[in-house]
Amino acid sequence: LPLCFPEKLWKMLESDQFRSIWWSEGGKCVAINKDLFKVEVLGREVCQRVFNTQHIKSVIRQLNLYGFTKVQQDFQRSASLPEFLSEEAAASAHSQILYYYNPSFNRAHPWLLGTCKRR
Protein backbone atom coordinates (compact mmCIF):
# COMPACT_ATOMS: atom_id res chain seq x y z
CA LEU A 1 0.00 0.00 0.00
CA PRO A 2 1.24 3.51 -0.76
CA LEU A 3 2.05 5.67 2.25
CA CYS A 4 -0.25 8.54 3.20
CA PHE A 5 1.09 12.09 3.37
CA PRO A 6 1.96 12.13 7.11
CA GLU A 7 3.80 8.79 6.79
CA LYS A 8 5.84 10.10 3.84
CA LEU A 9 6.63 13.26 5.79
CA TRP A 10 7.71 11.23 8.84
CA LYS A 11 10.00 9.01 6.74
CA MET A 12 11.61 12.10 5.17
CA LEU A 13 12.20 13.67 8.59
CA GLU A 14 13.74 10.49 9.98
CA SER A 15 15.91 9.97 6.90
CA ASP A 16 19.35 11.52 6.57
CA GLN A 17 18.75 11.83 2.83
CA PHE A 18 17.10 15.28 2.96
CA ARG A 19 18.69 18.59 4.05
CA SER A 20 15.64 20.71 3.23
CA ILE A 21 13.32 19.32 5.92
CA TRP A 22 13.99 18.57 9.58
CA TRP A 23 12.48 18.34 13.06
CA SER A 24 12.63 21.58 15.03
CA GLU A 25 11.44 22.74 18.46
CA GLY A 26 12.64 19.49 20.02
CA GLY A 27 10.78 17.28 17.55
CA LYS A 28 7.45 19.09 17.85
CA CYS A 29 7.57 21.07 14.59
CA VAL A 30 8.45 20.39 10.99
CA ALA A 31 10.90 22.90 9.48
CA ILE A 32 11.11 23.26 5.70
CA ASN A 33 13.70 25.32 3.85
CA LYS A 34 11.39 26.40 1.02
CA ASP A 35 13.97 27.02 -1.72
CA LEU A 36 16.05 23.93 -0.99
CA PHE A 37 12.89 21.77 -0.70
CA LYS A 38 11.76 22.90 -4.17
CA VAL A 39 15.04 21.67 -5.67
CA GLU A 40 15.82 18.65 -3.47
CA VAL A 41 12.33 17.13 -3.12
CA LEU A 42 9.97 18.65 -5.68
CA GLY A 43 12.55 18.85 -8.47
CA ARG A 44 13.20 15.11 -8.57
CA GLU A 45 12.71 12.88 -11.61
CA VAL A 46 9.23 11.33 -11.84
CA CYS A 47 10.44 7.87 -10.77
CA GLN A 48 12.14 9.32 -7.64
CA ARG A 49 9.36 11.66 -6.49
CA VAL A 50 8.23 11.57 -2.89
CA PHE A 51 5.03 13.53 -3.54
CA ASN A 52 2.90 13.60 -6.71
CA THR A 53 3.55 17.30 -7.21
CA GLN A 54 6.26 19.76 -8.16
CA HIS A 55 4.64 22.69 -6.32
CA ILE A 56 5.33 23.82 -2.75
CA LYS A 57 1.76 25.17 -2.51
CA SER A 58 0.41 21.63 -2.96
CA VAL A 59 2.61 20.35 -0.13
CA ILE A 60 1.45 23.22 2.11
CA ARG A 61 -2.18 22.41 1.19
CA GLN A 62 -1.57 18.80 2.28
CA LEU A 63 -0.04 19.99 5.57
CA ASN A 64 -3.16 22.10 6.20
CA LEU A 65 -5.52 19.25 5.24
CA TYR A 66 -3.82 17.02 7.81
CA GLY A 67 -4.22 19.58 10.60
CA PHE A 68 -0.79 21.24 10.56
CA THR A 69 -0.70 24.93 11.42
CA LYS A 70 1.99 27.40 10.43
CA VAL A 71 4.09 28.62 13.34
CA GLN A 72 5.69 32.07 13.30
CA GLN A 73 9.20 32.43 14.67
CA ASP A 74 9.53 35.73 16.55
CA PHE A 75 12.70 37.81 16.53
CA GLN A 76 13.65 40.41 19.12
CA ARG A 77 15.14 43.44 17.31
CA SER A 78 18.11 45.48 18.52
CA ALA A 79 17.99 49.23 18.89
CA SER A 80 21.37 49.94 17.24
CA LEU A 81 21.34 50.29 13.44
CA PRO A 82 24.32 47.97 12.64
CA GLU A 83 22.90 45.21 14.85
CA PHE A 84 19.41 45.76 13.43
CA LEU A 85 20.71 45.45 9.83
CA SER A 86 22.61 42.24 10.54
CA GLU A 87 19.54 40.79 12.31
CA GLU A 88 17.41 41.85 9.33
CA ALA A 89 19.70 39.90 6.98
CA ALA A 90 19.48 36.84 9.24
CA ALA A 91 15.70 37.18 9.43
CA SER A 92 15.48 37.40 5.64
CA ALA A 93 17.40 34.13 5.25
CA HIS A 94 15.26 32.68 8.03
CA SER A 95 12.05 33.65 6.20
CA GLN A 96 12.81 30.91 3.67
CA ILE A 97 12.16 28.43 6.47
CA LEU A 98 8.56 27.41 7.11
CA TYR A 99 7.54 25.89 10.46
CA TYR A 100 4.47 23.67 10.86
CA TYR A 101 2.98 22.12 14.00
CA ASN A 102 0.48 19.33 14.55
CA PRO A 103 -0.13 17.93 18.07
CA SER A 104 -0.44 14.42 16.57
CA PHE A 105 2.88 14.71 14.73
CA ASN A 106 5.62 14.56 17.35
CA ARG A 107 9.00 12.85 17.07
CA ALA A 108 8.84 11.69 20.70
CA HIS A 109 5.39 10.10 20.19
CA PRO A 110 5.44 8.11 16.92
CA TRP A 111 2.32 6.16 17.93
CA LEU A 112 0.29 9.38 17.48
CA LEU A 113 1.01 9.29 13.73
CA GLY A 114 -2.01 7.01 13.29
CA THR A 115 -4.29 9.76 14.63
CA CYS A 116 -3.04 12.24 12.02
CA LYS A 117 -6.06 12.10 9.68
CA ARG A 118 -7.09 14.13 6.66
CA ARG A 119 -9.86 16.65 7.41
Coordinates of all heavy atoms in Angstrom, one line a residue, residues 19-110:
R19 N 18.2 17.5 3.3 CA 18.7 18.6 4.0 C 17.7 19.7 4.1 O 17.8 20.6 4.9 CB 20.0 19.1 3.4 CG 21.1 18.2 3.5 CD 22.4 18.8 2.9 NE 22.2 20.0 2.1 CZ 22.3 20.1 0.7 NH1 22.6 19.0 0.0 NH2 22.1 21.2 0.1
S20 N 16.6 19.6 3.3 CA 15.6 20.7 3.2 C 14.5 20.6 4.2 O 13.7 21.5 4.3 CB 15.1 20.7 1.8 OG 14.4 19.5 1.5
I21 N 14.4 19.5 5.0 CA 13.3 19.3 5.9 C 13.9 18.6 7.2 O 14.7 17.7 7.1 CB 12.2 18.5 5.3 CG1 11.0 18.4 6.2 CG2 12.6 17.2 4.7 CD1 9.7 17.9 5.5
W22 N 13.5 19.1 8.3 CA 14.0 18.6 9.6 C 13.0 18.8 10.7 O 12.1 19.6 10.6 CB 15.4 19.1 9.9 CG 15.4 20.6 10.1 CD1 15.3 21.3 11.3 CD2 15.5 21.7 9.2 NE1 15.3 22.6 11.2 CE2 15.5 22.9 9.9 CE3 15.6 21.7 7.8 CZ2 15.6 24.1 9.2 CZ3 15.7 22.9 7.1 CH2 15.7 24.1 7.8
W23 N 13.2 18.1 11.8 CA 12.5 18.3 13.1 C 13.0 19.6 13.7 O 14.2 19.8 13.8 CB 12.7 17.2 14.0 CG 12.0 15.9 13.6 CD1 12.7 14.8 13.2 CD2 10.6 15.5 13.7 NE1 11.8 13.8 12.9 CE2 10.5 14.2 13.3 CE3 9.5 16.2 14.1 CZ2 9.3 13.6 13.2 CZ3 8.3 15.6 14.0 CH2 8.2 14.3 13.6
S24 N 12.2 20.4 14.2 CA 12.6 21.6 15.0 C 11.8 21.6 16.3 O 10.9 20.8 16.5 CB 12.5 22.9 14.2 OG 11.2 23.4 14.3
E25 N 12.1 22.6 17.2 CA 11.4 22.7 18.5 C 11.4 21.4 19.2 O 10.4 21.0 19.8 CB 10.0 23.2 18.3 CG 9.9 24.5 17.5 CD 10.5 25.7 18.2 OE1 10.5 25.8 19.4 OE2 11.1 26.6 17.5
G26 N 12.5 20.7 19.3 CA 12.6 19.5 20.0 C 11.8 18.4 19.5 O 11.3 17.5 20.2
G27 N 11.6 18.4 18.2 CA 10.8 17.3 17.5 C 9.3 17.5 17.5 O 8.5 16.6 17.3
K28 N 8.9 18.8 17.8 CA 7.4 19.1 17.8 C 7.0 19.8 16.6 O 5.8 19.9 16.3 CB 7.1 19.9 19.1 CG 7.3 19.2 20.4 CD 7.0 20.1 21.5 CE 7.2 19.2 22.8 NZ 7.5 20.1 24.0
C29 N 7.9 20.3 15.8 CA 7.6 21.1 14.6 C 8.4 20.5 13.4 O 9.4 20.0 13.6 CB 7.9 22.6 14.7 SG 6.8 23.5 15.8
V30 N 7.8 20.7 12.2 CA 8.5 20.4 11.0 C 9.0 21.7 10.4 O 8.2 22.7 10.3 CB 7.5 19.8 10.0 CG1 8.1 19.5 8.6 CG2 6.9 18.5 10.5
A31 N 10.3 21.7 10.1 CA 10.9 22.9 9.5 C 11.2 22.6 8.0 O 11.8 21.5 7.7 CB 12.2 23.3 10.2
I32 N 10.9 23.5 7.1 CA 11.1 23.3 5.7 C 11.8 24.5 5.1 O 11.3 25.6 5.2 CB 9.8 23.1 4.9 CG1 9.0 21.9 5.5 CG2 10.0 22.9 3.4 CD1 7.6 21.7 4.9
N33 N 13.0 24.3 4.6 CA 13.7 25.3 3.8 C 13.1 25.3 2.5 O 13.3 24.5 1.6 CB 15.2 25.0 3.8 CG 15.9 26.1 3.0 OD1 15.5 26.6 2.0 ND2 17.1 26.5 3.5
K34 N 12.2 26.3 2.2 CA 11.4 26.4 1.0 C 12.2 26.2 -0.3 O 11.8 25.4 -1.1 CB 10.6 27.7 1.0 CG 9.4 27.7 0.2 CD 8.4 28.9 0.5 CE 9.1 30.2 0.6 NZ 8.1 31.3 0.7
D35 N 13.2 27.1 -0.5 CA 14.0 27.0 -1.7 C 14.7 25.7 -1.9 O 14.7 25.1 -3.0 CB 15.0 28.2 -1.8 CG 14.3 29.5 -2.0 OD1 13.1 29.5 -2.4 OD2 14.9 30.5 -1.7
L36 N 15.3 25.2 -0.9 CA 16.0 23.9 -1.0 C 15.1 22.8 -1.2 O 15.3 21.9 -2.0 CB 16.9 23.7 0.3 CG 17.8 22.5 0.3 CD1 18.8 22.5 -0.9 CD2 18.6 22.4 1.6
F37 N 13.9 22.8 -0.6 CA 12.9 21.8 -0.7 C 12.4 21.7 -2.1 O 12.2 20.6 -2.7 CB 11.7 22.1 0.2 CG 10.7 21.0 0.4 CD1 10.9 19.9 1.3 CD2 9.6 21.0 -0.4 CE1 10.0 18.9 1.4 CE2 8.6 20.0 -0.2 CZ 8.8 18.9 0.7
K38 N 12.2 22.9 -2.8 CA 11.8 22.9 -4.2 C 12.7 22.2 -5.1 O 12.3 21.4 -6.0 CB 11.6 24.3 -4.7 CG 10.4 25.0 -4.1 CD 10.4 26.5 -4.6 CE 9.3 27.3 -3.9 NZ 9.3 28.7 -4.3
V39 N 14.0 22.3 -4.8 CA 15.0 21.7 -5.7 C 15.2 20.2 -5.3 O 15.1 19.3 -6.1 CB 16.4 22.4 -5.5 CG1 17.5 21.7 -6.3 CG2 16.3 23.8 -6.0
E40 N 15.4 20.0 -4.0 CA 15.8 18.7 -3.5 C 14.7 17.6 -3.5 O 14.9 16.5 -3.8 CB 16.3 18.8 -2.0 CG 16.8 17.5 -1.4 CD 17.2 17.7 0.0 OE1 16.4 18.2 0.9 OE2 18.4 17.5 0.3
V41 N 13.5 18.1 -3.2 CA 12.3 17.1 -3.1 C 11.4 17.2 -4.3 O 11.1 16.3 -5.0 CB 11.5 17.3 -1.8 CG1 10.3 16.4 -1.7 CG2 12.5 17.2 -0.6
L42 N 11.0 18.5 -4.6 CA 10.0 18.6 -5.7 C 10.6 18.6 -7.1 O 9.9 18.4 -8.0 CB 9.2 20.0 -5.4 CG 8.5 20.0 -4.1 CD1 7.8 21.4 -3.9 CD2 7.5 18.9 -3.9
G43 N 11.9 18.8 -7.2 CA 12.5 18.9 -8.5 C 13.1 17.5 -8.9 O 13.8 17.4 -9.9
R44 N 12.7 16.4 -8.2 CA 13.2 15.1 -8.6 C 12.6 14.6 -9.8 O 11.5 15.0 -10.2 CB 12.9 14.1 -7.4 CG 13.7 14.4 -6.2 CD 13.3 13.4 -5.1 NE 14.4 13.3 -4.2 CZ 14.7 12.2 -3.6 NH1 14.0 11.1 -3.7 NH2 15.8 12.1 -2.8
E45 N 13.3 13.6 -10.4 CA 12.7 12.9 -11.6 C 11.4 12.2 -11.2 O 11.2 11.8 -10.0 CB 13.7 11.8 -12.1 CG 15.0 12.4 -12.5 CD 15.0 13.0 -13.9 OE1 14.2 12.5 -14.7 OE2 15.8 13.9 -14.2
V46 N 10.5 11.9 -12.1 CA 9.2 11.3 -11.8 C 9.4 10.0 -11.1 O 8.7 9.8 -10.1 CB 8.4 11.1 -13.2 CG1 7.1 10.3 -12.9 CG2 8.1 12.4 -13.8
C47 N 10.3 9.2 -11.4 CA 10.4 7.9 -10.8 C 11.0 8.0 -9.3 O 10.9 7.0 -8.6 CB 11.3 6.9 -11.6 SG 13.0 7.6 -11.9
Q48 N 11.6 9.1 -9.0 CA 12.1 9.3 -7.6 C 11.3 10.3 -6.8 O 11.7 10.6 -5.7 CB 13.6 9.9 -7.8 CG 14.5 8.9 -8.4 CD 15.9 9.6 -8.5 OE1 16.1 10.8 -8.5 NE2 16.9 8.8 -8.5
R49 N 10.2 10.7 -7.2 CA 9.4 11.7 -6.5 C 8.8 11.1 -5.2 O 8.4 9.9 -5.1 CB 8.2 12.1 -7.3 CG 8.6 13.1 -8.4 CD 7.6 14.1 -8.7 NE 8.1 15.0 -9.7 CZ 7.6 15.1 -10.9 NH1 6.5 14.5 -11.2 NH2 8.2 15.9 -11.8
V50 N 8.8 11.9 -4.2 CA 8.2 11.6 -2.9 C 6.7 11.9 -2.9 O 5.9 11.1 -2.5 CB 8.9 12.4 -1.7 CG1 8.3 12.0 -0.4 CG2 10.4 12.1 -1.7
F51 N 6.4 13.1 -3.4 CA 5.0 13.5 -3.5 C 4.7 13.6 -5.0 O 5.5 13.8 -5.9 CB 4.9 14.9 -2.9 CG 5.3 14.9 -1.5 CD1 6.4 15.7 -1.0 CD2 4.6 14.2 -0.5 CE1 6.8 15.7 0.3 CE2 5.0 14.2 0.8 CZ 6.1 15.0 1.2
N52 N 3.4 13.5 -5.3 CA 2.9 13.6 -6.7 C 2.7 15.0 -7.1 O 1.7 15.4 -7.7 CB 1.6 12.8 -6.9 CG 1.8 11.4 -6.7 OD1 2.9 10.8 -6.9 ND2 0.8 10.7 -6.2
T53 N 3.6 15.9 -6.8 CA 3.5 17.3 -7.2 C 4.9 17.9 -7.4 O 5.9 17.3 -6.8 CB 2.7 18.1 -6.2 OG1 2.6 19.5 -6.7 CG2 3.4 18.2 -4.8
Q54 N 5.0 19.0 -8.0 CA 6.3 19.8 -8.2 C 6.1 21.1 -7.5 O 6.9 22.0 -7.7 CB 6.7 19.9 -9.6 CG 7.1 18.6 -10.3 CD 7.4 18.8 -11.7 OE1 6.6 19.0 -12.6 NE2 8.7 18.8 -12.0
H55 N 5.0 21.4 -6.8 CA 4.6 22.7 -6.3 C 4.6 22.7 -4.8 O 3.9 21.9 -4.2 CB 3.3 23.1 -6.9 CG 3.2 23.1 -8.4 ND1 3.9 24.1 -9.2 CD2 2.7 22.2 -9.2 CE1 3.7 23.8 -10.4 NE2 3.0 22.7 -10.5
I56 N 5.3 23.7 -4.2 CA 5.3 23.8 -2.7 C 3.9 24.1 -2.2 O 3.6 23.7 -1.1 CB 6.4 24.9 -2.3 CG1 6.6 24.9 -0.8 CG2 6.0 26.3 -2.8 CD1 7.5 23.8 -0.3
K57 N 3.1 24.8 -3.0 CA 1.8 25.2 -2.5 C 0.9 23.9 -2.3 O 0.1 23.9 -1.4 CB 1.0 26.1 -3.5 CG 1.5 27.5 -3.4 CD 0.7 28.4 -4.4 CE 1.2 29.8 -4.3 NZ 0.4 30.7 -5.1
S58 N 1.1 22.9 -3.1 CA 0.4 21.6 -3.0 C 0.8 20.9 -1.7 O 0.0 20.3 -1.0 CB 0.6 20.7 -4.2 OG 0.1 21.3 -5.3
V59 N 2.1 21.0 -1.4 CA 2.6 20.3 -0.1 C 2.0 21.1 1.1 O 1.6 20.5 2.0 CB 4.2 20.3 -0.1 CG1 4.7 19.8 1.2 CG2 4.7 19.5 -1.2
I60 N 2.0 22.4 1.0 CA 1.5 23.2 2.1 C 0.0 22.9 2.3 O -0.6 22.8 3.4 CB 1.7 24.7 1.9 CG1 3.2 25.0 2.0 CG2 0.9 25.6 2.8 CD1 3.7 26.3 1.6
R61 N -0.7 22.8 1.1 CA -2.2 22.4 1.2 C -2.4 21.1 1.9 O -3.3 20.9 2.7 CB -2.8 22.4 -0.2 CG -4.3 22.2 -0.3 CD -4.8 22.3 -1.7 NE -4.4 23.4 -2.5 CZ -3.6 23.3 -3.6 NH1 -3.3 22.1 -4.0 NH2 -3.2 24.3 -4.3
Q62 N -1.5 20.1 1.6 CA -1.6 18.8 2.3 C -1.3 18.9 3.8 O -2.0 18.3 4.6 CB -0.6 17.8 1.7 CG -0.9 17.3 0.3 CD -2.2 16.4 0.4 OE1 -2.3 15.5 1.2 NE2 -3.1 16.8 -0.5
L63 N -0.3 19.7 4.1 CA 0.0 20.0 5.6 C -1.3 20.5 6.3 O -1.7 20.0 7.3 CB 1.1 21.0 5.7 CG 2.5 20.4 5.5 CD1 3.5 21.6 5.3 CD2 3.0 19.5 6.6
N64 N -1.9 21.5 5.6 CA -3.2 22.1 6.2 C -4.3 21.1 6.3 O -5.0 21.1 7.3 CB -3.6 23.3 5.4 CG -2.6 24.5 5.6 OD1 -2.0 24.7 6.6 ND2 -2.4 25.3 4.5
L65 N -4.5 20.3 5.2 CA -5.5 19.2 5.2 C -5.3 18.2 6.4 O -6.3 17.7 6.9 CB -5.6 18.5 3.9 CG -6.2 19.2 2.7 CD1 -6.0 18.5 1.4 CD2 -7.7 19.3 3.0
Y66 N -4.1 18.0 6.7 CA -3.8 17.0 7.8 C -3.7 17.7 9.2 O -3.2 17.1 10.1 CB -2.6 16.2 7.5 CG -2.9 15.1 6.5 CD1 -2.7 15.2 5.2 CD2 -3.4 13.8 7.0 CE1 -3.0 14.2 4.3 CE2 -3.7 12.8 6.2 CZ -3.5 13.0 4.8 OH -3.8 11.9 3.9
G67 N -4.1 18.9 9.3 CA -4.2 19.6 10.6 C -3.0 20.3 11.1 O -2.9 20.7 12.2
F68 N -2.0 20.5 10.2 CA -0.8 21.2 10.6 C -1.1 22.7 10.5 O -1.9 23.2 9.6 CB 0.4 21.0 9.6 CG 1.0 19.6 9.8 CD1 0.4 18.5 9.2 CD2 2.2 19.5 10.5 CE1 1.0 17.2 9.4 CE2 2.7 18.2 10.7 CZ 2.2 17.1 10.1
T69 N -0.5 23.5 11.4 CA -0.7 24.9 11.4 C 0.7 25.6 11.3 O 1.6 25.1 11.9 CB -1.4 25.5 12.7 OG1 -0.7 25.0 13.8 CG2 -2.9 25.0 12.7
K70 N 0.7 26.7 10.6 CA 2.0 27.4 10.4 C 2.3 28.1 11.7 O 1.5 28.7 12.4 CB 1.9 28.4 9.3 CG 3.2 29.0 8.9 CD 3.1 29.9 7.7 CE 4.4 30.4 7.3 NZ 4.4 31.2 6.1
V71 N 3.6 28.0 12.1 CA 4.1 28.6 13.3 C 5.0 29.8 13.0 O 5.9 29.6 12.1 CB 4.8 27.6 14.2 CG1 5.4 28.2 15.5 CG2 4.0 26.4 14.5
Q72 N 4.8 30.9 13.5 CA 5.7 32.1 13.3 C 6.8 32.0 14.3 O 6.6 31.8 15.5 CB 4.9 33.4 13.5 CG 3.8 33.6 12.5 CD 4.2 33.6 11.1 OE1 5.3 34.1 10.7 NE2 3.4 33.2 10.2
Q73 N 8.0 32.3 13.8 CA 9.2 32.4 14.7 C 9.4 33.9 14.9 O 9.6 34.7 14.0 CB 10.4 31.8 14.0 CG 10.3 30.3 13.7 CD 10.2 29.5 15.0 OE1 10.7 29.9 16.0 NE2 9.6 28.4 14.9
D74 N 9.4 34.3 16.2 CA 9.5 35.7 16.6 C 11.0 36.1 16.8 O 11.7 35.3 17.4 CB 8.7 36.1 17.8 CG 7.2 35.9 17.6 OD1 6.8 36.2 16.4 OD2 6.5 35.5 18.5
F75 N 11.3 37.3 16.3 CA 12.7 37.8 16.5 C 12.6 39.1 17.4 O 11.7 39.9 17.2 CB 13.3 38.2 15.2 CG 13.8 37.1 14.4 CD1 13.1 36.6 13.3 CD2 15.1 36.5 14.7 CE1 13.6 35.5 12.6 CE2 15.5 35.4 13.9 CZ 14.8 34.9 12.9
Q76 N 13.5 39.2 18.3 CA 13.7 40.4 19.1 C 14.6 41.3 18.3 O 15.7 40.8 18.0 CB 14.2 40.1 20.5 CG 13.3 39.3 21.4 CD 11.9 40.0 21.6 OE1 11.9 41.2 21.8 NE2 10.9 39.2 21.7
R77 N 14.3 42.5 18.1 CA 15.1 43.4 17.3 C 16.0 44.3 18.2 O 15.5 44.8 19.3 CB 14.3 44.3 16.4 CG 13.4 43.6 15.4 CD 14.3 42.8 14.5 NE 13.4 42.1 13.5 CZ 13.8 41.6 12.4 NH1 15.0 41.7 12.0 NH2 13.0 41.0 11.6
S78 N 17.2 44.6 17.8 CA 18.1 45.5 18.5 C 17.8 46.9 18.2 O 17.3 47.2 17.1 CB 19.6 45.2 18.2 OG 19.9 43.9 18.6
A79 N 18.2 47.8 19.1 CA 18.0 49.2 18.9 C 19.1 49.8 18.0 O 18.8 50.8 17.3 CB 18.0 50.0 20.2
S80 N 20.3 49.3 18.0 CA 21.4 49.9 17.2 C 21.2 49.5 15.8 O 20.9 48.4 15.4 CB 22.7 49.5 17.8 OG 23.1 48.2 17.3
L81 N 21.5 50.5 14.9 CA 21.3 50.3 13.4 C 22.2 49.2 12.9 O 21.7 48.3 12.2 CB 21.6 51.6 12.7 CG 21.4 51.5 11.2 CD1 19.9 51.1 10.9 CD2 21.7 52.8 10.5
P82 N 23.5 49.1 13.2 CA 24.3 48.0 12.6 C 23.8 46.6 13.1 O 23.7 45.7 12.3 CB 25.7 48.2 13.2 CG 25.8 49.7 13.5 CD 24.3 50.0 13.9
E83 N 23.4 46.5 14.4 CA 22.9 45.2 14.9 C 21.6 44.9 14.2 O 21.3 43.8 13.8 CB 22.7 45.3 16.4 CG 24.0 45.1 17.1 CD 23.8 45.2 18.6 OE1 22.8 44.8 19.1 OE2 24.7 45.7 19.3
F84 N 20.7 45.9 14.1 CA 19.4 45.8 13.4 C 19.6 45.2 12.0 O 18.9 44.3 11.6 CB 18.6 47.1 13.4 CG 17.3 47.0 12.8 CD1 16.2 46.5 13.4 CD2 17.1 47.4 11.4 CE1 15.0 46.3 12.8 CE2 15.9 47.2 10.8 CZ 14.8 46.7 11.5
L85 N 20.5 45.8 11.2 CA 20.7 45.5 9.8 C 21.2 44.0 9.7 O 20.8 43.3 8.8 CB 21.7 46.4 9.1 CG 21.1 47.8 8.9 CD1 22.2 48.8 8.4 CD2 19.9 47.8 8.0
S86 N 22.1 43.6 10.6 CA 22.6 42.2 10.5 C 21.5 41.3 10.9 O 21.4 40.2 10.4 CB 23.9 42.0 11.4 OG 23.5 42.1 12.8
E87 N 20.7 41.6 11.9 CA 19.5 40.8 12.3 C 18.5 40.7 11.2 O 17.9 39.7 11.0 CB 18.9 41.3 13.6 CG 19.7 41.1 14.8 CD 19.2 41.9 16.0 OE1 18.1 42.6 15.9 OE2 19.8 41.8 17.1
E88 N 18.3 41.8 10.5 CA 17.4 41.8 9.3 C 17.9 40.9 8.2 O 17.0 40.2 7.7 CB 17.3 43.3 8.8 CG 16.2 43.5 7.8 CD 14.8 43.4 8.5 OE1 14.7 43.6 9.7 OE2 13.9 43.0 7.8
A89 N 19.2 40.8 8.0 CA 19.7 39.9 7.0 C 19.5 38.5 7.4 O 19.1 37.6 6.6 CB 21.2 40.2 6.8
A90 N 19.7 38.2 8.7 CA 19.5 36.8 9.2 C 18.0 36.5 9.2 O 17.6 35.3 8.8 CB 20.0 36.8 10.7
A91 N 17.1 37.4 9.5 CA 15.7 37.2 9.4 C 15.2 36.9 8.0 O 14.4 36.1 7.8 CB 14.9 38.4 10.0
S92 N 15.8 37.6 7.0 CA 15.5 37.4 5.6 C 15.8 36.0 5.2 O 15.0 35.3 4.6 CB 16.2 38.4 4.8 OG 16.0 38.1 3.4
A93 N 17.0 35.5 5.6 CA 17.4 34.1 5.3 C 16.5 33.2 6.0 O 16.1 32.1 5.5 CB 18.9 33.9 5.6
H94 N 16.1 33.5 7.2 CA 15.3 32.7 8.0 C 13.8 32.6 7.5 O 13.1 31.6 7.7 CB 15.2 33.2 9.5 CG 14.7 32.3 10.5 ND1 15.4 31.2 10.9 CD2 13.5 32.2 11.1 CE1 14.7 30.6 11.8 NE2 13.5 31.2 11.9
S95 N 13.4 33.6 6.7 CA 12.0 33.7 6.2 C 11.8 32.6 5.1 O 10.7 32.3 4.8 CB 11.7 35.0 5.6 OG 12.4 35.3 4.5
Q96 N 12.9 32.0 4.6 CA 12.8 30.9 3.7 C 12.4 29.6 4.4 O 12.2 28.6 3.7 CB 14.1 30.7 2.9 CG 14.4 31.8 1.9 CD 13.4 31.9 0.8 OE1 12.9 30.9 0.3 NE2 12.9 33.1 0.6
I97 N 12.5 29.6 5.7 CA 12.2 28.4 6.5 C 10.7 28.5 7.0 O 10.4 29.5 7.7 CB 13.2 28.2 7.6 CG1 14.6 28.1 7.0 CG2 12.8 27.0 8.4 CD1 15.7 28.1 8.0
L98 N 9.9 27.5 6.7 CA 8.6 27.4 7.1 C 8.5 26.4 8.3 O 9.2 25.4 8.3 CB 7.7 26.9 6.0 CG 7.8 27.6 4.6 CD1 7.0 26.9 3.6 CD2 7.3 29.0 4.8
Y99 N 7.7 26.8 9.3 CA 7.5 25.9 10.5 C 6.1 25.5 10.6 O 5.2 26.3 10.5 CB 8.0 26.6 11.7 CG 9.4 27.0 11.8 CD1 9.9 28.2 11.3 CD2 10.4 26.0 12.3 CE1 11.2 28.5 11.3 CE2 11.7 26.4 12.3 CZ 12.1 27.6 11.8 OH 13.5 27.9 11.9
Y100 N 5.8 24.2 10.7 CA 4.5 23.7 10.9 C 4.4 22.8 12.1 O 5.3 22.0 12.4 CB 4.0 22.9 9.6 CG 3.7 23.8 8.5 CD1 4.7 24.3 7.6 CD2 2.4 24.4 8.3 CE1 4.4 25.2 6.6 CE2 2.1 25.3 7.3 CZ 3.1 25.6 6.4 OH 2.8 26.5 5.4
Y101 N 3.2 22.9 12.8 CA 3.0 22.1 14.0 C 1.7 21.4 13.9 O 0.7 21.9 13.4 CB 2.9 23.1 15.2 CG 2.4 22.5 16.5 CD1 3.3 21.6 17.2 CD2 1.1 22.7 16.9 CE1 2.8 21.0 18.4 CE2 0.7 22.1 18.0 CZ 1.5 21.3 18.8 OH 1.1 20.7 19.9
N102 N 1.7 20.1 14.4 CA 0.5 19.3 14.6 C 0.7 18.5 15.8 O 1.7 17.8 16.0 CB 0.4 18.4 13.4 CG -0.9 17.5 13.4 OD1 -1.3 17.1 14.5 ND2 -1.4 17.2 12.3
P103 N -0.3 18.6 16.8 CA -0.1 17.9 18.1 C 0.0 16.4 17.9 O 0.5 15.7 18.8 CB -1.4 18.3 18.9 CG -2.3 18.9 17.9 CD -1.5 19.4 16.7
S104 N -0.5 15.9 16.8 CA -0.4 14.4 16.6 C 0.8 14.0 15.8 O 1.0 12.9 15.4 CB -1.7 13.9 15.8 OG -2.8 14.2 16.5
F105 N 1.7 15.0 15.5 CA 2.9 14.7 14.7 C 4.1 15.2 15.6 O 4.5 16.3 15.5 CB 2.8 15.5 13.4 CG 3.7 15.0 12.3 CD1 3.3 13.9 11.5 CD2 5.0 15.5 12.2 CE1 4.1 13.5 10.5 CE2 5.8 15.0 11.2 CZ 5.4 14.0 10.3
N106 N 4.6 14.2 16.4 CA 5.6 14.6 17.3 C 6.7 13.5 17.4 O 6.3 12.3 17.5 CB 5.0 14.7 18.7 CG 5.9 15.2 19.8 OD1 7.0 14.7 19.9 ND2 5.4 16.1 20.6
R107 N 7.9 13.8 17.2 CA 9.0 12.8 17.1 C 9.1 11.9 18.3 O 9.4 10.7 18.2 CB 10.3 13.6 16.9 CG 11.5 12.6 16.6 CD 12.7 13.4 16.4 NE 13.7 12.5 15.6 CZ 14.9 12.9 15.3 NH1 15.3 14.1 15.5 NH2 15.7 12.1 14.6
A108 N 8.8 12.5 19.5 CA 8.8 11.7 20.7 C 7.7 10.7 20.9 O 7.7 9.8 21.7 CB 8.9 12.6 21.9
H109 N 6.6 10.9 20.1 CA 5.4 10.1 20.2 C 5.0 9.5 18.8 O 3.9 9.9 18.3 CB 4.3 10.9 20.8 CG 4.6 11.6 22.1 ND1 4.9 10.9 23.2 CD2 4.8 12.9 22.4 CE1 5.2 11.8 24.2 NE2 5.1 13.0 23.7
P110 N 5.8 8.6 18.3 CA 5.4 8.1 16.9 C 4.1 7.4 16.8 O 3.5 7.4 15.8 CB 6.6 7.2 16.6 CG 7.3 6.9 17.9 CD 7.0 8.0 18.8

